[in-house]
Amino acid sequence: MSLLTADTIGKKFGGVIALKDVSLTVEKGEIVGMIGPNGSGKTTFINNLSGLYAPTSGRFMFNGEDITGLPAHVITGKGISRTFQNLRVFPNISVLENILIGLHCKITTSLWDVYAGVLKTRKVERQAREKAMAVLELADLAGRHDTLAKNLPYGKQRLLEICRAIVSDPHLLLLDEPCAGMNPVEMDDLAGFIRILQKKGITVFVIEHNMRFIMSVAERIIVLANGAKFQEGTPVEIQKDKKVQAIYLGEEGDL
Amino acid sequence: MEPTLENHGKQTGNPMTFKTVLNHPMFKKTAFLTAAAGCVLLPHIMTDTYYLGIINYMILYVILCMGLNLILGYAGLLSLGHAAFYGLGGYTTAILITRYGFGFLSCLILSGAIALLFGILLGLPTRKVRGDYFCLLTIAFGEIFRLVAQAWIGFTNGAMGIVGIPIPSILGWSIRTEVDFYYLGLILLGFTWITLSLLVHSKFGRAFIAIREDELAASVMGINTAVYKIIVFGIGCFYAGLAGSYLAVYQTTVTPSNFRLEESCLMIIMVIVGGMGSLLAPIAGVIIMTLATEYFRGIAEYRMLIIGVIMVAVLLFRPQGIFGTSAFKG
């Protein structure tokens, strides 16, 4: 059974068809890439999957469970984490607190425990802190755990956002253009980091515009065009595909 | 940390700054013990009942503002109806004590509970109504409360208010003098501080901050933002209920004019001047605003003008408030 099955997902905004019968599967342990020209519906697809929108048709099966249209916080609890295209770290709090918020769904403290089970809560908090520090260690951010998130350099903020998403041990991690605004060195670091995540057993679904990055990191690539699935294959197949080149660069005759 | 363009080299982890000394555990411990001892001994040093009376009102406002700060500073919900919850507490205590002979302790608990309940009810629309529109809703609630208190003469005695609230006693301790009220206030303040600090240092406090910083990202972190906004609003209002209960027995009267919109505005100003998003920061705002209004009592008609000038000055020169977190820098 696949980890994720998207079955003929469709999304309309009024009369605009953003997604048209997109079907795909993601197997456990894979790194899957999704590419496509601007406006092809990549982010809309992730937003539907992570519960920010509800699809107008089709369904998402995750771990054998129908998760179509559930609210975002429930989907996160089921083990799907994500990052955002336009960087959404919590700017005015420390790096460590950002990570601790990422752990929210794994901390079982109830409101009653906060007042009546002070010692238990304290123990849970200490364990959460250790866990958060371990994740920061992995991304080489542990030395800056006290810094306000907004004071980190841009590339580090991107890394922080990924750390915040993986601290809850998700089964599936959705990355929405993680390279946007990064320089080539930061991109290589990120590619290395994504492979470390794969070794830790996290399945990664990554949307990216940067071809060098996606070709080096993804094992399988899905091409989206005008809201529909256009092509699917290994990076080598996709690179050679004339039709994919055409949707990005136009037909040969056009030039 | 290297000085960078973003922080202008200010107070971020440089070992010799004022802030690191303030954050040192030894300093914190000493400061806390000194402050605690000072608070307990204060009525024996400052025996003038006029000044003690002012301090009692300050304690009352600190309790109110700490609750409001949870809503405004932590969760980022602007509420201009806080005086209504204060009033709910005040009227609950006044009515239960004078008409039904309840003890003060049960009145205190029930006042908090009623404010909590109404807080949850008013928090329900946060699911759909956001930002400025929610603020309008809280103003409306505050005005409705005041008008009902004024018009429902059979129950609230109208504009005359409820008078002659008897001397309260808790477990045989009858609270008569300014000094007694000071200690009662101190106990309530301690309770407020301890419970709030447990809350904000748990996953709940972090969830509130996450909602303030970025609600969409918060929901993707697994936070049920709708429920958490209701929780934070209810809890913040609970403390207003306690403060209202204290006001009723301290003042021995409650009238609708105690709970006007201006009162809500004053609380917001106190929180903003003191600093939002930091648990004890509103104390500074309460002290400054109370002293200013007392000092300028002679020109009472210009009181709001002076309050306004102080607030404009703070917003110009220190937008995050005197002790606020940098989240509100502007």
Side-chain angles (χ1 to χ4, degrees):
Chain A
M1 186 184 63
S2 309
L3 181 67
L4 174 79
T5 310
D7 183 19
T8 58
I9 296 297
K11 178 71 188 172
K12 285 182 194 162
F13 294 103
V16 180
I17 300 169
L19 286 175
K20 222 164 24 199
D21 296 340
V22 178
S23 296
L24 58 88
T25 59
V26 177
E27 304 299 328
K28 205 166 164 37
E30 262 190 312
I31 299 179
V32 178
M34 183 180 254
I35 60 172
N38 286 330
S40 58
K42 307 183 295 296
T43 299
T44 310
F45 180 77
I46 280 201
N47 284 348
N48 276 294
L49 174 54
S50 59
L52 296 182
Y53 303 150
T56 2
S57 61
R59 58 184 192 147
F60 286 111
M61 299 292 287
F62 182 69
N63 270 335
E65 201 181 337
D66 191 347
I67 58 160
T68 323
L70 293 177
H73 63 92
V74 176
I75 288 184
T76 308
K78 295 202 182 292
I80 301 182
S81 288
R82 68 167 291 175
T83 64
F84 292 89
Q85 186 174 354
N86 47 345
L87 195 66
R88 279 173 179 264
V89 293
F90 301 115
N92 298 304
I93 55 178
S94 75
V95 167
L96 181 65
E97 282 172 303
N98 263 277
I99 304 287
L100 285 172
I101 292 173
L103 256 177
H104 183 88
C105 57
K106 292 284 156 160
I107 298 177
T108 51
T109 316
S110 69
L111 200 52
W112 175 252
D113 289 335
V114 170
Y115 300 113
V118 176
L119 291 179
K120 186 186 157 205
T121 308
R122 204 173 277 180
K123 192 175 151 214
V124 171
E125 286 293 311
R126 201 175 52 239
Q127 286 166 347
R129 240 157 241 275
E130 280 164 15
K131 173 113 206 241
M133 285 307 281
V135 170
L136 285 175
E137 210 90 45
L138 198 68
D140 208 15
L141 278 169
R144 312 196 64 171
H145 68 96
D146 250 350
T147 314
L148 294 185
K150 65 178 172 192
N151 290 343
L152 283 182
Y154 183 80
K156 297 279 179 201
Q157 288 192 33
R158 285 252 166 221
L159 212 51
L160 170 62
E161 201 187 15
I162 298 176
C163 287
R164 190 182 66 178
I166 59 162
V167 70
S168 57
D169 292 324
H171 300 296
L172 177 62
L173 173 65
L174 310 172
L175 299 174
D176 193 354
E177 296 199 22
C179 291
M182 276 192 176
N183 64 39
V185 181
E186 288 172 329
M187 266 184 228
D188 289 342
D189 286 349
L190 182 65
F193 190 59
I194 290 176
R195 282 188 209 99
I196 294 175
L197 298 183
Q198 185 189 28
K199 285 202 190 82
K200 287 173 69 73
I202 299 174
T203 310
V204 183
F205 186 90
V206 52
I207 289 179
E208 188 46 69
H209 264 313
N210 187 292
M211 290 300 155
R212 193 173 74 96
F213 177 81
I214 197 96
M215 293 301 165
S216 74
V217 110
E219 295 163 348
R220 191 156 60 85
I221 290 175
I222 293 156
V223 186
L224 222 56
N226 294 324
K229 192 159 102 175
F230 186 77
Q231 196 59 272
E232 184 176 343
T234 62
V236 181
E237 287 166 5
I238 295 293
Q239 270 171 310
K240 283 186 186 148
D241 195 305
K242 286 277 186 274
K243 281 193 287 188
V244 173
Q245 288 175 8
I247 61 165
Y248 269 97
L249 301 172
E251 303 284 344
E252 228 167 292
D254 293 350
L255 298 169
Chain B
M1 176 182 167
E2 293 291 311
T4 63
L5 271 177
E6 290 90 5
N7 64 20
H8 306 287
K10 262 190 267 170
Q11 27 163 281
T12 26
N14 193 332
M16 279 312 289
T17 59
F18 185 54
K19 203 171 180 178
T20 46
V21 174
L22 282 183
N23 280 331
H24 194 274
M26 265 307 277
F27 177 82
K28 273 186 168 173
K29 209 174 242 177
T30 325
F32 173 74
L33 289 175
T34 319
C39 284
V40 171
L41 293 175
L42 187 81
H44 302 283
I45 303 159
M46 191 181 278
T47 44
D48 190 324
T49 50
Y50 169 69
Y51 289 114
L52 210 53
I54 293 175
I55 289 170
N56 285 347
Y57 273 106
M58 283 184 187
I59 293 177
L60 181 70
Y61 277 106
V62 169
I63 296 169
L64 281 166
C65 289
M66 281 173 85
L68 182 60
N69 185 31
L70 183 73
I71 299 171
L72 178 66
Y74 281 85
L77 300 170
L78 181 55
S79 166
L80 267 170
H82 213 59
F85 300 98
Y86 178 37
L88 276 168
Y91 272 99
T92 305
T93 296
I95 289 170
L96 288 179
I97 281 192
T98 56
R99 294 195 199 143
Y100 302 99
F102 274 61
F104 176 60
L105 196 59
S106 44
C107 281
L108 191 66
I109 295 165
L110 284 170
S111 299
I114 297 242
L116 174 74
L117 183 74
F118 277 88
I120 288 170
L121 286 177
L122 190 59
L124 286 174
T126 50
R127 216 185 139 81
K128 298 270 178 216
V129 187
R130 277 154 213 274
D132 302 345
Y133 299 97
F134 177 69
C135 180
L136 287 176
L137 208 71
T138 61
I139 295 176
F141 180 77
E143 284 302 285
I144 290 169
F145 169 80
R146 193 180 57 82
L147 291 171
V148 167
Q150 214 160 298
W152 194 357
I153 296 172
F155 190 57
T156 63
N157 206 22
M160 304 288 290
I162 295 171
V163 293
I165 298 164
I167 289 164
S169 70
I170 294 178
L171 311 168
W173 171 41
S174 73
I175 301 153
R176 292 165 190 279
T177 61
E178 290 286 352
V179 178
D180 291 336
F181 276 106
Y182 173 80
Y183 284 118
L184 174 66
L186 208 58
I187 292 166
L188 286 180
L189 181 60
F191 170 81
T192 304
W193 181 49
I194 291 168
T195 48
L196 275 177
S197 108
L198 287 175
L199 184 70
V200 301
H201 292 116
S202 72
K203 78 165 191 175
F204 290 88
R206 285 194 300 269
F208 302 148
I209 293 173
I211 290 170
R212 174 192 82 200
E213 294 282 296
D214 188 333
E215 196 172 330
L216 185 75
S219 73
V220 169
M221 296 299 110
I223 296 165
N224 189 343
T225 52
V227 168
Y228 276 78
K229 282 195 283 188
I230 295 168
I231 293 176
V232 77
F233 203 77
I235 292 179
C237 293
F238 169 78
Y239 297 103
L242 293 188
S245 183
Y246 179 85
L247 176 84
V249 292
Y250 180 51
Q251 216 179 225
T252 72
T253 63
V254 285
T255 62
S257 65
N258 285 128
F259 313 113
R260 284 175 304 180
L261 180 63
E262 278 128 78
E263 205 66 9
S264 298
C265 294
L266 183 65
M267 290 177 216
I268 296 260
I269 293 169
M270 283 169 167
V271 173
I272 290 174
V273 168
M276 292 183 276
S278 163
L279 208 53
L280 293 173
I283 294 176
V286 170
I287 292 175
I288 288 175
M289 300 317 288
T290 319
L291 287 183
T293 47
E294 277 304 315
Y295 187 75
F296 294 110
R297 189 158 280 259
I299 42 168
E301 58 266 47
Y302 299 114
R303 188 169 150 251
M304 284 319 268
L305 181 73
I306 291 153
I307 290 175
V309 168
I310 295 175
M311 179 148 134
V312 169
V314 167
L315 288 179
L316 274 180
F317 298 110
R318 207 171 155 79
Q320 73 270 41
I322 298 169
F323 293 113
T325 59
S326 67
F328 298 95
K329 240 174 192 163

